[in-house]
Amino acid sequence: MRFIYFVGTAGSGKSTLVQAYKEWLDYNGVDSVIVNLDPGADALPYAADIDIREWIILDEVMQEYSLGPNGAQVVASDLMAMNVNKLTDALQDLKTKFVLIDTPGQLELFAFRESSLRIVEALGKDKSMVVYTSDPMLYRTSNGFVSGKMLSTLVQFRLGLPTIDVLTKTDLLEDEERDKLLEWFEDADSLYGDLLDRDTDPQTVIGMELFKTLEDIGTFGSMRAVSAKEGFGMEEIYAAAQMTFFGGEDPDIS
């Protein structure tokens, strides 16, 4: 059993990608289950096999602790860690190859709280990876790209897990725009050149310093373009998971 955490900013398409990837795995005969870790989700596009809302209900947290929605989300994220035994017990009853974990919509609630590290450790860091969902609407300018890439790098540093970047919602992009974003991910010199073209923008001064930091620590590399709507790029995620967990082999394990 291997765990794939789908992590990204709100609106980046985590839940719809989980659904699309699950459907692709089913179609290709690969067994998987879905875990929803977002206690504040109003509706989900899939039927979760394990749903944190069975144990933690956001409205009840708000009432019990006299909190608003944002404060309740913080408390709920900590309560998830306190209920991690319920999660691990439920998973013990399942025999599957992959567990697809849909994380909370607010990135910081999962990536930057100690409770999430407890969950990852309880499930097994050596059996886990992250699919970081990058919203192309946030990456369209060179400065926006650098800030988004910095955030994904911080998430990888914080969680300490193998991470692949996927560019979501590519069906909304023109081919030229999609190719430009992918080029920025794979060719740091191309991104730096576009930053130089904007060097009269005061914000770019910061962007260039962030770029140098990212380049120094070697975060640039391959990016997978995906579209949950069109089912595009699912095989890329699968190939990355196979390489991460099994060195590219496709063993029949549970």
Side-chain angles (χ1 to χ4, degrees), residues 6-250:
F6 289 76
V7 182
T9 55
S12 61
K14 294 186 294 294
S15 297
T16 52
L17 182 58
V18 168
Q19 177 199 29
Y21 189 50
K22 167 65 173 172
E23 291 177 352
W24 186 90
L25 291 173
D26 288 346
Y27 180 80
N28 287 277
V30 180
D31 192 52
S32 65
V33 298
I34 297 177
V35 174
N36 171 46
L37 283 187
D38 189 352
D42 293 326
L44 295 171
Y46 53 75
D49 297 277
I50 299 175
D51 196 331
I52 196 67
R53 295 176 300 178
E54 296 179 9
W55 309 307
I56 303 171
I57 300 174
L58 196 63
D59 287 343
E60 293 182 357
V61 174
M62 291 172 62
Q63 294 177 9
E64 181 176 352
Y65 294 90
S66 300
L67 295 170
N70 292 334
Q73 287 276 16
V74 172
V75 171
S77 69
D78 293 336
L79 290 175
M80 282 195 293
M82 295 173 62
N83 284 273
V84 70
N85 289 338
K86 293 181 180 179
L87 176 60
T88 55
D89 289 346
L91 285 168
Q92 285 180 354
D93 296 331
L94 302 176
K95 299 296 182 181
T96 188
K97 183 172 183 179
F98 293 117
V99 179
L100 314 181
I101 301 180
D102 191 9
T103 61
Q106 292 84 350
L107 172 65
E108 67 277 10
L109 292 177
F110 184 78
F112 300 115
R113 293 196 65 79
E114 196 68 25
S115 55
S116 62
L117 299 181
R118 291 184 58 186
I119 293 172
V120 171
E121 290 170 358
L123 297 183
K125 290 189 68 172
D126 60 329
K127 299 183 293 183
S128 301
M129 66 175 288
V130 168
V131 173
Y132 187 87
T133 54
S134 303
D135 188 341
M137 302 304 112
L138 302 178
Y139 283 70
R140 289 177 122 162
T141 68
S142 52
N143 280 324
F145 182 95
V146 169
S147 62
K149 184 58 181 170
M150 178 61 74
L151 184 56
S152 72
T153 301
L154 288 173
V155 169
Q156 183 175 5
F157 172 75
R158 172 67 176 168
L159 297 178
L161 298 176
T163 301
I164 64 168
D165 287 300
V166 297
L167 186 67
T168 58
K169 308 177 187 178
T170 53
D171 54 283
L172 300 178
L173 301 174
E174 298 293 336
D175 290 347
E176 182 178 349
E177 187 174 27
R178 180 199 62 207
D179 292 344
K180 170 58 71 175
L181 294 181
L182 294 177
E183 182 183 10
W184 281 348
F185 272 101
E186 297 170 2
D187 184 359
D189 289 338
S190 173
L191 175 59
Y192 188 71
D194 284 318
L195 283 168
L196 286 176
D197 290 340
R198 298 171 56 89
D199 62 2
T200 57
D201 182 351
Q203 187 180 18
T204 302
V205 176
I206 299 175
M208 294 179 75
E209 291 302 316
L210 291 177
F211 168 85
K212 292 175 184 177
T213 300
L214 292 170
E215 187 178 35
D216 287 343
I217 60 181
T219 63
F220 291 99
S222 61
M223 153 69 68
R224 284 82 175 175
V226 303
S227 168
K229 180 180 179 180
E230 297 181 351
F232 175 77
M234 302 303 114
E235 67 281 359
E236 297 279 352
I237 298 176
Y238 183 74
Q242 292 299 107
M243 183 60 65
T244 298
F245 294 131
F246 314 119
E249 300 295 329
D250 194 4

